[in-house]
Amino acid sequence: MTRPTKATIDLTALRANYLWGRSQQQGNALAVVKANAYGHGAVACATALADIADGFAVAFCAEAIELRNAGITNPVLVLEGCFNLAELRQAQQQSLWVVIHQDSQLQDLETASFEANSLHVWLKVDSGMHRAGFALEDVQAAHKRLTECPAVASVTLMSHFASSDEPDKQTTLRQIKAFEEATRGLPGARSLSNSGAVMAWPQASRDWARLGILLYGADPLPHPIDRLTPVMTLQSEVFAERWLEAGEPIGYGEKFVTQARTRVGLVAIGYADGYPRVAPSGTPVSVDGEVTRIIGRVSMDMITVDLTPLLSAGIGSKVELWGKQIDVNQIAKAAGTISYELLCNVKRIPKEYIGGIAV
Ligand SMILES: *Cc1c(COP(=O)(O)O)cnc(C)c1O
């Protein structure tokens, strides 16, 4: 018997989430499939979206080339841009769209001497996040240098928000204003919104949205509105069980001690599979569709769950760690992190794809 642990990826849900996200704003929408599509499989997800997506976005060139090699012909934007001239040449050959966020990238482009109008670039403005992008006072000059490069076919102006998933903060409005002032009078399309902004900040809607986490059905906002369908179901099975008397410890570090007679189920998934080690006893888990809790430390390949209240559960019972029943945000909260990190960490286990034809 093979290990019964897998991530089921619902491509129909992915397509529905994309279309919903795009419909929430006025512009086109890039589907962000960096980090192996947030752990969901970049090639499979991009292929499933190719006929409806206006384009894709990835973090770096190698991720984009993986899509090209798999036959993806849609626009693909490289969000970190290129690291050197050699990479820029590769990007141009592969018809990638590249972000230019600092002077060295601008210089590479000026040196490259590509064929005229052969490269679409996105000029990144630092509107307040202070991570990547040209400072507000340098934007007009950078834009001028770009438009003077014969190779540049178009310049799209972009920026990224620090706190779009916090609807009560004013940061996003300040960033929009700073972006507007720095780019005033410049021609070209604009792109500001990630998922949080699409869902919480309609004022940020421009020509292109960049949809990441919402594609995968994990709501980034503090008060979910139930319009997204989870794409990944992380699942396994109970493969052993035992009764413990009251007062017995379970697992590494004896972090959990039974209060009463307890039936413990052993589940074939652990932190090496992407389930967070720091998830404490009490974190919800579904067994045969009923919600119970994990008890004891998460091990590398196994976790232990409380089967005491579940009369008919036992060896072979289906376990959902997150998915349509257990919101990945609940697990992220219990683990002190965000859904993004949990999803990205799903790497070792096989993926099974379902759906994907029609929405
Ligand atoms: C990752 C990323 C996105 C997508 O963000 P989500 O919050 O997942 O929607 C958009 N824009 C940039 C620049 C990014 O790096």
Side-chain angles (χ1 to χ4, degrees):
M1 193 192 109
T2 52
R3 190 172 185 243
T5 309
K6 64 186 174 185
T8 301
I9 309 296
D10 180 349
L11 297 171
T12 302
L14 179 75
R15 287 168 64 88
N17 292 338
Y18 173 81
L19 292 174
W20 180 81
R22 186 170 64 180
S23 76
Q24 294 305 294
Q25 45 89 54
Q26 299 148 28
N28 293 328
L30 297 177
V32 181
V33 294
K34 64 192 177 189
N36 202 25
Y38 294 43
H40 295 66
V43 167
C45 290
T47 304
L49 290 170
D51 65 323
I52 53 173
D54 303 317
F56 295 102
V58 294
F60 50 90
C61 277
E63 290 185 329
I65 288 166
E66 185 191 12
L67 299 184
R68 285 284 182 259
N69 290 342
I72 298 294
T73 56
N74 309 55
V76 180
L77 176 68
V78 180
L79 293 167
E80 285 179 351
C82 297
F83 285 87
N84 51 48
L85 187 53
E87 240 187 27
L88 184 62
R89 290 191 194 289
Q90 214 177 10
Q92 188 257 2
Q93 276 159 18
Q94 299 276 349
S95 304
L96 305 179
W97 296 1
V98 297
V99 168
I100 302 282
H101 65 76
Q102 64 178 351
D103 197 68
S104 66
Q105 293 173 325
L106 200 43
Q107 285 172 26
D108 281 347
L109 186 53
E110 287 168 334
T111 332
S113 65
F114 294 138
E115 190 184 320
N117 296 322
S118 62
L119 191 68
H120 294 280
V121 303
W122 287 41
L123 176 59
K124 187 160 183 176
V125 176
D126 174 12
S127 59
M129 186 170 176
H130 300 335
R131 186 182 63 176
F134 285 87
L136 298 170
E137 61 273 20
D138 297 333
V139 170
Q140 299 271 342
H143 189 276
K144 181 160 185 290
R145 281 171 65 189
L146 282 175
T147 51
E148 284 167 4
C149 287
V152 171
S154 71
V155 182
T156 299
L157 293 155
M158 73 175 290
S159 194
H160 193 47
F161 294 127
S163 303
S164 69
D165 53 359
E166 295 182 71
D168 298 332
K169 264 198 193 172
Q170 296 307 298
T171 315
T172 302
L173 294 178
R174 277 202 299 276
Q175 286 194 251
I176 296 171
K177 190 158 171 276
F179 175 85
E180 284 305 326
E181 285 170 9
T183 58
R184 186 155 294 143
L186 296 177
R190 266 73 171 157
S191 173
L192 297 179
S193 300
N194 63 344
S195 300
V198 163
M199 297 175 75
W201 300 99
Q203 309 91 318
S205 172
R206 295 291 186 277
D207 304 287
W208 289 92
R210 308 184 303 270
L211 307 177
I213 195 71
L214 81 70
L215 295 179
Y216 308 102
D219 195 318
L221 300 182
H223 306 293
I225 50 171
D226 228 14
R227 294 300 306 271
L228 300 170
T229 310
V231 173
M232 180 190 294
T233 303
L234 185 63
Q235 57 202 316
S236 188
E237 286 180 11
V238 174
F239 72 110
E241 57 173 316
R242 74 186 62 232
W243 277 102
L244 294 178
E245 296 305 318
E248 301 277 8
I250 303 175
Y252 286 119
E254 302 168 287
K255 291 296 176 195
F256 180 87
V257 178
T258 53
Q259 297 286 303
R261 218 169 157 255
T262 299
R263 194 156 65 97
V264 184
L266 186 60
V267 179
I269 193 160
Y271 61 79
D273 303 302
Y275 193 82
R277 180 175 176 278
V278 292
S281 292
T283 301
V285 59
S286 155
V287 177
D288 286 340
E290 289 194 74
V291 178
T292 178
R293 56 179 182 155
I294 70 167
I295 48 178
R297 270 257 162 91
V298 172
S299 301
M300 186 183 288
D301 315 295
M302 291 178 261
I303 61 171
T304 37
V305 302
D306 188 358
L307 297 183
T308 319
L310 309 181
L311 296 177
S312 57
I315 292 176
S317 285
K318 303 282 182 224
V319 176
E320 179 186 302
L321 289 311
W322 62 68
K324 294 191 166 72
Q325 190 175 12
I326 307 281
D327 181 357
V328 65
N329 280 310
Q330 270 184 286
I331 309 302
K333 201 165 189 187
T337 184
I338 54 175
S339 63
Y340 299 65
E341 186 183 22
L342 296 188
L343 296 170
C344 287
N345 279 340
V346 175
K347 291 171 187 159
R348 178 169 81 170
I349 62 177
K351 296 184 193 70
E352 182 178 287
Y353 291 94
I354 60 170
I357 319 303
V359 171

